[in-house]
Amino acid sequence: MESVKDKCAVVGIGETEYSRDSGRTERSLALEAIKKAIEDAGLRPGDIDGIVKYAVQPETETDLAACLGIRHLSYFGEAGFAGGAGAALVRQAVQAIVTGAATNVVVFRAVNGRSGKRYGRGEVTGRGGRGDAAFSEPFGLIAPGQGAAMSARRHMHDYGTTSRQLGAIAVACRKHAARNPRALLRDPITLEDHQNSRIIYDPLHMLDCCYEADGAGALVITSADRARALKQRPAYIMATVQAAPGGGDGAHDRTETSAKHKVFAAAGVSPGDMDVVQIYDHFTPWVLMAIEDYGFCKRGEGGPFVEGGRIELGGGLPLNTSGGHLSEAYLQGMNHMIEAVRQLRGTSTAQVEGAELVLVDTAAGALILRR
Amino acid sequence: MSGLPLPVIDSDNAEFWAACKRHELVLQRCGQCKTLRHPPRPMCHVCNSMTSEWVKSNGRGRIYSYVITVQPIHPGLVGKVPLATVRVQLEEGVLFTSNVVGCAPDEIRIDMPVEVVFEDVTQEITLPKFRPSRQVEG
């Protein structure tokens, strides 16, 4: 198989403001973010011939193309796994570009995630007791965070992980958000604040949970050759992987999801080479377990690893430098990918000096970008 | 009252819920390789056989993990919190999501032995729940 390493790059990024109540349609938010990303790249809407979206995004590609005045869409696609689709979108864009199906591809996410349907209340992922949900929802397992809480409880039992260690992740994200004017939660917090925040689903506190928000983000992806002639410093896509859990008996086994670490081999780099990481933080336990999955530390050592400022700016592994889902906005991995590009351009509000390699975890996948 | 969603009975799981109504806990077993599975599904994840049979579980297991939902994040949880949702590892090996009854949520511990009890909810639906085991171990 021919490698697609470094064959494509992210050349444009765009975001709306993040808010608690946009007062706008998700379509309007999507179009604003896409328009900004295209302008950022120095392109025009007519240059775009591909759109890839999250399968949970209700707007159709034809509608968006009509609004943008794109006359011919030669590639359109979508990826599943709800909010975890991020890396899969980028992968589809890369595949479309290297096979000649498209030239310049937009990927995006737009949500009224706070003023509209709430993921945190099971309003999007709830299945009304159908299928496998017949064996979970009647027992009160409704929202994604409850599963995270159950996994966290088992991790605590097996490895001695503590709630305060989870709190260190929330504190780090907030510290970074404090520097970011786009972030919705900017007041610094302490471990005590984390411990004193109300319990939502024990063992998780409110500050272990992402901040649901309204907003949109978009990327423009093109070939490396074209990227070099465009306005911005390209963020080259070294590798992407997709990894959905499957099979088995539903135990909290990380075998499937930990397949994400294959992104390092695909990119030809190792975890220790990463200058900064952006990890999908809908709930703090998933961040801690992802750090283990990627091999930044051994299984079970995630708790001690995140303590003592290691994941804060200036530490050994700065994480979620925009504030992430916990403090900037819950934009389902799109804001993590945008922040990764900013780090490589040198324009983050929590810039890691000279950042050259960034890992982005998008829940059901991962990508590595380089300068 | 808008409660929690009730199980939607379909041809994949009808046998399971019919057994619950009789206050029996059954598990689906592959007709070919005899691997047990839960929840009921049309195919064995080990050998892909689509034939299956139902075997009676002894209803005993241990708490694998649990979450205590404190905030009523869903209308169906109003008046029900704090609610302990548990994952029980049955003695037969499979993991089973349910609730613990007959003990306060803060008394639940991982590895605690539990046994099934049945809660008749509607004419059609009986939910299998678990209580701290009363059987003397050993």
Side-chain angles (χ1 to χ4, degrees):
Chain A
M1 190 189 72
E2 198 188 339
S3 170
V4 296
K5 185 182 169 187
D6 299 331
K7 294 259 172 85
C8 296
V10 181
V11 292
I13 53 176
E15 282 165 294
T16 63
E17 111 177 300
Y18 298 127
S19 72
R20 292 163 183 85
D21 184 358
S22 71
R24 300 164 57 186
T25 62
E26 290 178 343
R27 176 167 75 159
S28 168
L29 294 170
L31 288 166
E32 181 190 332
I34 292 170
K35 181 184 173 193
K36 285 179 171 169
I38 294 169
E39 283 171 359
D40 179 64
L43 292 167
R44 289 174 307 178
D47 298 320
I48 303 300
D49 55 4
I51 295 179
V52 190
K53 68 190 190 76
Y54 289 63
V56 284
Q57 185 76 45
E59 286 66 35
T60 66
E61 51 286 323
T62 46
D63 179 31
L64 295 170
C67 292
L68 288 159
I70 295 171
R71 297 182 70 86
H72 177 61
L73 209 53
S74 60
Y75 184 83
F76 45 90
E78 62 181 37
F81 212 99
L89 306 188
V90 173
R91 169 174 268 206
Q92 276 193 43
V94 167
Q95 288 166 348
I97 292 162
V98 298
T99 58
T103 314
N104 302 309
V105 179
V106 161
V107 308
F108 76 99
R109 181 71 172 125
V111 285
N112 278 327
R114 192 165 198 91
S115 67
K117 285 189 175 174
R118 300 276 293 261
Y119 274 76
R121 294 179 186 157
E123 290 169 359
V124 184
T125 51
R127 298 201 52 213
R130 285 176 190 81
D132 279 0
F135 297 87
S136 56
E137 291 179 351
F139 305 102
L141 217 50
I142 298 281
Q146 295 167 299
M150 226 190 270
S151 293
R153 174 92 60 195
R154 185 72 205 190
H155 203 278
M156 290 169 171
H157 174 82
D158 288 344
Y159 305 113
T161 306
T162 65
S163 171
R164 288 179 75 88
Q165 290 170 334
L166 297 178
I169 296 167
V171 168
C173 288
R174 186 64 64 85
K175 195 171 176 182
H176 300 154
R179 307 163 64 112
N180 172 5
R182 294 174 311 277
L184 286 171
L185 300 177
R186 292 200 293 271
D187 293 336
I189 54 169
T190 63
L191 283 176
E192 280 61 43
D193 293 331
H194 171 271
Q195 291 296 291
N196 292 333
S197 69
R198 63 182 181 160
I199 301 271
I200 306 295
Y201 7 68
D202 196 353
L204 298 191
H205 293 254
M206 187 177 73
L207 291 177
D208 287 305
C209 306
C210 64
Y211 196 71
E212 292 177 292
D214 293 3
L219 310 175
V220 176
I221 297 168
T222 192
S223 71
D225 286 343
R226 281 189 295 276
R228 284 185 269 276
L230 290 175
K231 199 164 132 194
Q232 307 289 352
R233 175 192 284 169
Y236 294 100
I237 301 162
M238 296 187 83
T240 60
V241 294
Q242 286 175 250
D249 58 8
H252 294 289
D253 179 334
R254 300 290 291 175
T255 318
E256 303 95 352
T257 45
S258 66
K260 288 187 286 190
H261 78 262
K262 289 178 181 166
V263 74
F264 295 114
V269 296
S270 62
D273 297 327
M274 297 300 111
D275 296 306
V276 49
V277 297
Q278 314 294 337
I279 294 184
Y280 201 98
D281 51 340
H282 43 349
F283 304 100
T284 54
W286 293 145
V287 177
L288 189 139
M289 286 183 242
I291 285 170
E292 297 174 358
D293 291 342
Y294 286 108
F296 290 109
C297 64
K298 288 192 187 130
R299 175 74 59 219
E301 294 179 0
F305 184 90
V306 299
E307 288 180 308
R310 182 186 265 125
I311 57 172
E312 297 176 7
L313 188 62
L317 190 72
L319 175 142
N320 297 3
T321 43
S322 71
H325 293 152
L326 290 166
S327 286
E328 186 184 38
Y330 179 44
L331 197 58
Q332 305 197 331
M334 188 54 71
N335 48 335
H336 291 68
M337 295 195 286
I338 290 170
E339 173 64 9
V341 173
R342 262 192 228 108
Q343 283 288 348
L344 297 175
R345 290 181 181 180
T347 58
S348 170
T349 48
Q351 183 62 42
V352 174
E353 210 177 320
E356 291 184 1
L357 283 169
V358 189
L359 169 75
V360 190
D361 171 273
T362 64
L367 57 153
I368 293 176
L369 301 177
R370 74 162 175 85
R371 199 153 82 176
Chain B
M1 176 191 133
S2 64
L4 288 166
L6 286 174
V8 174
I9 296 177
D10 61 23
S11 56
D12 292 338
N13 65 29
E15 290 285 339
F16 178 89
W17 296 111
C20 284
K21 214 173 150 183
R22 301 190 304 268
H23 289 202
E24 280 177 21
L25 186 67
V26 296
L27 295 171
Q28 195 180 23
R29 185 167 69 182
C30 174
Q32 191 92 31
C33 77
K34 308 295 180 190
T35 302
L36 287 167
R37 63 180 186 261
H38 182 80
R41 289 171 172 165
M43 181 177 282
C44 173
H45 60 277
V46 175
C47 76
N48 294 159
S49 167
M50 296 187 78
T51 63
S52 66
E53 56 213 17
W54 297 90
V55 295
K56 213 176 155 194
S57 162
N58 69 17
R60 290 197 296 267
R62 285 174 183 272
I63 302 289
Y64 179 82
S65 193
Y66 61 101
V67 52
I68 300 164
T69 303
V70 175
Q71 297 297 326
I73 52 168
H74 180 274
L77 288 163
V78 175
K80 291 205 174 103
V81 291
L83 176 72
T85 302
V86 296
R87 207 150 274 168
V88 175
Q89 183 145 35
L90 294 175
E91 285 186 359
E92 292 88 356
V94 301
L95 288 171
F96 195 103
T97 300
S98 184
N99 300 124
V100 164
V101 296
C103 102
D106 61 5
E107 290 169 9
I108 297 171
R109 296 286 179 273
I110 286 178
D111 287 337
M112 191 170 104
V114 290
E115 61 192 20
V116 73
V117 289
F118 291 92
E119 196 174 294
D120 298 319
V121 182
T122 66
Q123 290 277 40
E124 292 77 31
I125 297 294
T126 294
L127 294 176
K129 304 216 167 171
F130 287 81
R131 69 179 175 205
S133 191
R134 289 174 186 177
Q135 230 165 315
V136 181
E137 285 184 63

